[in-house]
Structures are given as structure tokens and as C-alpha cells.
Amino acid sequence: MASSHRDIIVVGASLAGLTFALACAKHGVPVRVLERAERRVHGGDNLSVNLASIAAAVGCDPRSAPQLPVVRAYRDRHLTAWPALYDWLRDRAGEAPGITLMENMTVSTVESGHDKATVVLADGSTLSADAVIGADGYRSTVRRAIAPELPHARYAGYIVWRGLIEEKMLPSPVDWPSNGGLWIEFSQGYRLVAAVLPGRDGSLDPGQRQVTFAWFDAGREALLRRTHCLTEDGYVVGTLGADAIGDDVRDELARLAPRVWPDPWVDAVTAGVRAAGTMRGAPIAEYRPDRLASGPLAIIGDAAHVLSPMTGSGYATGVEDAAYLAGLLAGVAPSMPMDVLLKQYEQARLPYIRGLVNHSMTLSGEFRRYAATFAR
């Protein structure tokens, strides 16, 4: 295939980067994927996924063996755990021809030349390619090279406490059907989302499943500034890992949980708040891009657009980015300059993405106003 002559580096091997790499492999476009960790470990998130869209994008069907463990959410959407989706994508990428995973590779900067891009690694070594695609998350290094005037995502005014626990930790199984669904409630100035997910082995048997929760909480700006998650200008530059959440915050949330969460979720939330390593705090960030490409550089997924999880569209939009750009790389003549090709990607995706971030900002504003009516 003509596009196989292009040399593509992908920065970031999380969900968006692996999805894009698999989409490229589907079209016969080889890629090198750089990732700072050997294999990611992450928990506490449930994700809304469209299985048909994933299958169409990456050429592997998560409904076929080896299946992605899911439960039904609504319409054509299913729920899965972040670790389950990551493992499924990572295993498929490890098997796919044309994907070279280069782990333990920390990227310091990315530079754009006339017709080449250069990646500078933390050890001072460099790699060059015809294009560098940033899939390196909401604190993207590649984004800083594309849009140095707007490098960070802005704080949306609230945090989400996320937990993912084993159902067997609870006094009794959660009284919730194994065929899935999201429980969503607004209560006393908070937004509460919970679900029962398949267990780590894919089991849907009561007692063997996982329970996930997302507790949206406004008014934590002082905590986030004290822990250096926010800049003075209100940009998000960090998250609260499990080890960074103090006992005072855990005690406060544990006391509050019975007043906010009804059965059958209160035991799960309390256990998640109390148990070491099972809860983290993510300040909600939003990023509305002015550009998605510059010369031989482009961004996809959370590097390109950061949305509130209230939209339910974060990963889904990354899948669309990946499918479109991979198809574009495969479908044009190798004589087309890379900057022209990536500009086509930007022109096609940017209007939709900006509209979706606008929607996210509207939802965030509505939640902040709701929370303010219960300000203590």
C-alpha cells in the first residue's frame, strides 16, 4: 500500500493511542508507539463504549473472543472498566503486524521541521518521522508544540471522586441487575453515578463483579491548588492519586456518603472512600482546541479535546479521531505533503470537536449552578 512508505510515530499508548495504532494496522499503515510506562495500571473509571464503532475502527471485534467484558448501559452503549478496555486494546496491539510498541520511552519535547518531526526523549536521544501524532492525554506534550499559546486544559469547577472496588469487599452483593445500566442521581449539590461491572475475570455473578462510582463534587478548588493540581491561572496540571488524598478528605467523604448515597450504593462508596488505593480525585478539565495540527504534528483523543465525563463522549470521540485519521493516512498518495494531509484531518474534525466541547461547558455550567444552590 502506498501509505506504508510514511513513517508515523504515535506519542502515548493509552486508550486513544492504542486505538489509533490498531486503526492504522487495519489499513496497513505501520506505526511506532512511544509510551513512558511498560504497561499502564489505572483504575476507578467506568467507560461508555460503542462496541460496533470500536470494531469498525480497529478491525477487531470486542464482541468476539477474546471478548471485552461489558454490561449494557443504554441504547447502543455498553459499560466497561478502564483497565478491561486498556488490557483488551493493549493485547490486540501487541499481536498486530505493523505496530511497534516502544515502552519505557519518556518524551520531553516534540519539534516540527519543514517536512519531518523530531521527538526528543528524556535521555537526550531523538527520533524522527514523517509525522508525530499526539495521543498523550490532557497534559499533552505534542499539544504544547502545536498550540504553545494554549497548552493546558482549564478547570471546569468541580472534581470527580472515582472508585472501582471488588463486590466481594462488601457486606453483601449489590442489589442491581447484572444486565447493567447506569444509576445517576443529583442530590444535595452532588451528582452521583454508579454501576455494576463485570469482575476482573468477566464474571457477572453477584459477589464476583466490580462496583464503580463517580461522585461529582464542586468547591474543591482550595484542595486542588494546595496539592498543585491547578495553576494560578486555573489550568489543570495534575490529579489526586490515591496516595495524595489525605485522611481528612476521606473521613469527610465517608461521613457524607450515608447522607447522599441511597441503598444499594452507600456501602460500595464508603468502602471505596476508605480502602487504600481504590479512589482517586480527578479535577474535571475542558479543552476547546483552536487547531489540531501544525506541520507534521497532529493530536487526537484527550490531547485534542478534553470533555466532562458528563458528556459520555470522551473515548467515543477519540475512536472517531483515530478512525478518520488512520483512513486518511491510508487513502492518500504518498506524494501528498504531510502538513496538507494533517490539515485535512483538522478541517474535518475541528468543527465537530469544538461543538462537543461547547456542550461539555454547558453541562459543567449547569452543574456548578446547581451545586451553588447548596453551598455550605
Side-chain angles (χ1 to χ4, degrees), residues 37 58 91 101 106 115 154 181 208 210 244 284 303 327 344 351 369:
V58 305
D91 290 345
L101 288 172
T106 299
D115 58 356
R154 183 170 287 280
Q208 302 301 312
Q210 298 178 97
I284 301 304
Q344 289 185 6
R369 289 189 290 274

Side-chain angles (χ1 to χ4, degrees), residues 43-46 81 160-166 193-195 197 200 210-215 245 250 261 268-269 271-273 275 277-282:
D45 292 312
N46 69 77
V160 60
W161 307 106
R162 289 191 178 275
L164 181 67
I165 67 167
E166 303 296 322
V193 181
L197 302 176
R200 294 184 186 276
Q210 298 178 97
V211 183
T212 180
F213 65 86
W215 182 341
I245 301 174
R250 292 182 183 276
W261 289 81
V269 175
V273 167
T278 60
M279 186 184 76
R280 63 186 184 91

